Amino acid sequence: EAQVTQNPRYLITVTGKKLTVTCSQNMNHEYMSWYRQDPGLGLRQIYYSMNVEVTDKGDVPEGYKVSRKEKRNFPLILESPSPNQTSLYFCASSLYRGSLGYGYTFGSGTRLTVV
Amino acid sequence: KQEVTQIPAALSVPEGENLVLNCSFTDSAIYNLQWFRQDPGKGLTSLLLIQSSQREQTSGRLNASLDKSSGRSTLYIAASQPGDSATYLCAVRPSNAGGTSYGKLTFGQGTILTVHP
């Protein structure tokens, strides 16, 4: 089944303890992206990647890191989590073929709580 | 900067009604527009994708239209059912000067739909 898989689904951690949220897609998509969703603020892009070794900041990149060493994986790293990073996180991916437009497929989300 | 607005913010209707959700965007240089459904605490499920060159897309009881020049899209749901209750999100993907896209989605705040029996 074509899908974007995020792990873990739920995570409670303490301030300052480094964590990684994994994201993997099996659709050979070039584009991958991370979003966070907060009440009243909607979905905001954290980082995105257009292909292997090509990443760039989105609207709210502070406090996050990403890497794209393989096409299928796009982990989100919080080096020193803080309570304001408590949120619902989504990974998404999309094909890109020149002028043809494709839609995004989203993962099921990771609910992160930082105490 | 692209801004996406969805109206209404919330909608409550009896089962069986036909309804329209609205999405407007400020920058008409879009690559495509995608409608999603989100159940509480869950992920986003893609409903319909409209390319910038298209006027509408249909899937079952859903029909989405796009008027790029006026910066508007509508999602039409026919014969609504309680199972349609969810938040509906509109997202636009911008095009760049070359007519391609860097892929960033800009989302509206969503319309919370409740369909009661």
Side-chain angles (χ1 to χ4, degrees):
Chain A
E1 179 188 354
Q3 60 186 356
V4 176
T5 303
Q6 291 179 232
N7 281 296
R9 291 292 311 278
Y10 302 92
L11 179 60
I12 301 174
T13 190
V14 296
T15 299
K17 185 177 181 181
K18 181 179 178 180
L19 67 90
T20 299
V21 183
T22 63
C23 174
S24 181
Q25 50 91 7
N26 61 2
M27 297 166 281
N28 202 35
H29 285 176
E30 290 85 5
Y31 280 131
M32 296 188 77
S33 184
W34 278 101
Y35 292 83
R36 61 177 289 175
Q37 186 177 35
D38 302 287
L41 297 175
L43 281 143
R44 296 176 291 169
Q45 190 183 53
I46 304 170
Y47 267 94
Y48 66 96
S49 169
M50 289 189 286
N51 215 325
V52 176
E53 302 292 0
V54 181
T55 63
D56 207 348
K57 298 176 182 179
D59 296 321
V60 288
E62 295 78 19
Y64 304 95
K65 285 176 56 177
V66 292
S67 68
R68 188 90 182 273
K69 293 182 169 50
E70 306 166 281
K71 199 171 186 179
R72 64 183 292 126
N73 295 323
F74 191 46
L76 180 69
I77 303 158
L78 286 73
E79 294 271 2
S80 182
S82 63
N84 65 12
Q85 293 178 298
T86 293
S87 186
L88 180 58
Y89 290 85
F90 290 104
C91 180
S93 71
S94 171
L95 270 174
Y96 174 70
R97 291 289 186 269
S99 61
L100 294 177
Y102 292 87
Y104 267 94
T105 300
F106 277 75
S108 298
T110 295
R111 183 166 295 280
L112 172 66
T113 302
V114 184
V115 299
Chain B
K1 180 183 176 186
Q2 177 75 270
E3 293 183 0
V4 180
T5 303
Q6 290 187 244
I7 295 174
L11 185 61
S12 180
V13 300
E15 181 176 7
E17 273 205 8
N18 301 324
L19 51 97
V20 175
L21 308 182
N22 296 293
C23 171
S24 62
F25 46 95
T26 55
D27 187 346
S28 62
I30 67 169
Y31 193 59
N32 58 37
L33 183 147
Q34 198 165 358
W35 283 92
F36 293 91
R37 168 188 171 136
Q38 185 178 27
D39 293 291
K42 303 292 187 182
L44 279 68
T45 300
S46 180
L47 298 173
L48 289 165
L49 172 70
I50 310 178
Q51 305 299 341
S52 61
S53 59
Q54 296 176 325
R55 297 284 292 182
E56 66 178 321
Q57 281 286 334
T58 297
S59 175
R61 294 183 294 110
L62 305 179
N63 175 277
S65 68
L66 174 65
D67 184 342
K68 200 173 70 166
S69 61
S70 67
R72 293 179 185 175
S73 177
T74 61
L75 179 66
Y76 176 82
I77 303 177
S80 58
Q81 303 170 357
D84 294 330
S85 298
T87 297
Y88 289 80
L89 293 159
C90 163
V92 298
R93 186 167 179 173
S95 62
N96 61 22
T100 54
S101 175
Y102 294 125
K104 175 186 173 181
L105 290 177
T106 301
F107 283 85
Q109 292 285 339
T111 294
I112 301 171
L113 173 64
T114 303
V115 181
H116 47 88

